[in-house]
Amino acid sequence: MTQVNGCGRCQTLPEPPEGPGRLFLWPPLGHSLGKLVAHLREAGGAYQLRTDAHCVVVGLG
């Protein structure tokens, strides 16, 4: 079976989390962080911008 989406190094994806939790995202560039926050704001998604860590925390239901 060929996997379409996967990690470039190992060609596998981790199992999806079970239950609620938090996803921490560290975009590589400030420009990417701005685009991510703008998208979440427009989509009405709940998120927390951690400027001290240059990351976005998204709650998963």
Side-chain angles (χ1 to χ4, degrees):
M1 173 181 213
T2 302
Q3 191 164 352
V4 176
N5 296 318
C7 170
R9 289 180 286 174
C10 64
Q11 299 302 317
T12 61
L13 293 174
E15 292 295 319
E18 293 183 23
R22 294 182 293 170
L23 176 65
F24 291 79
L25 301 167
W26 283 274
L29 304 171
H31 178 73
S32 300
L33 178 65
K35 285 187 158 207
L36 174 61
V37 169
H39 175 74
L40 290 169
R41 186 179 303 126
E42 288 174 15
Y47 68 93
Q48 177 187 15
L49 176 59
R50 299 279 312 270
T51 55
D52 59 326
H54 302 285
C55 79
V56 175
V57 183
V58 180
L60 302 175

